[in-house]
Amino acid sequence: NKGYATEAVKTCIKIGFEQHHFNEILATILPENIASQNVVKKAGMTHIEDLIDHNLLHQIYSITKEQYYHLQK
């Protein structure tokens, strides 16, 4: 693991906030996908809720514009 996925997610978050001016970015991840959970956590996202869609449990992760800019300091 060389951290490529984390860097890719961080870049997407940066573009979302700095170029597209999003207020919040969400990720949906299946609970058994531990690697993806770790990637978004390393990128600064936090688990905010669980959601059932098409009879599958999804974990919702979020980062707000304020959280993103706080992490940049």
Side-chain angles (χ1 to χ4, degrees), residues 38-67:
N38 290 334
V39 165
V40 298
K41 288 177 188 175
K42 287 179 191 173
M45 300 183 87
T46 56
H47 178 251
I48 58 167
E49 69 177 305
D50 292 332
L51 172 74
I52 296 176
D53 184 44
H54 293 93
N55 294 320
L56 286 174
L57 178 65
H58 298 266
Q59 294 180 326
I60 311 300
Y61 287 80
S62 167
I63 186 167
T64 64
K65 180 171 38 179
E66 292 79 15
Q67 290 169 327

Side-chain angles (χ1 to χ4, degrees), residues 8-71:
V9 170
K10 286 181 176 181
T11 299
C12 290
I13 290 171
K14 176 181 174 133
I15 291 168
F17 289 127
E18 294 183 11
Q19 294 181 19
H20 297 287
H21 310 289
F22 295 156
N23 291 317
E24 182 178 24
I25 295 173
L26 301 173
T28 61
I29 302 172
L30 297 175
E32 61 270 15
N33 194 339
I34 304 299
S36 291
Q37 292 172 34
N38 290 334
V39 165
V40 298
K41 288 177 188 175
K42 287 179 191 173
M45 300 183 87
T46 56
H47 178 251
I48 58 167
E49 69 177 305
D50 292 332
L51 172 74
I52 296 176
D53 184 44
H54 293 93
N55 294 320
L56 286 174
L57 178 65
H58 298 266
Q59 294 180 326
I60 311 300
Y61 287 80
S62 167
I63 186 167
T64 64
K65 180 171 38 179
E66 292 79 15
Q67 290 169 327
Y68 169 75
Y69 284 112
H70 178 75
L71 291 172

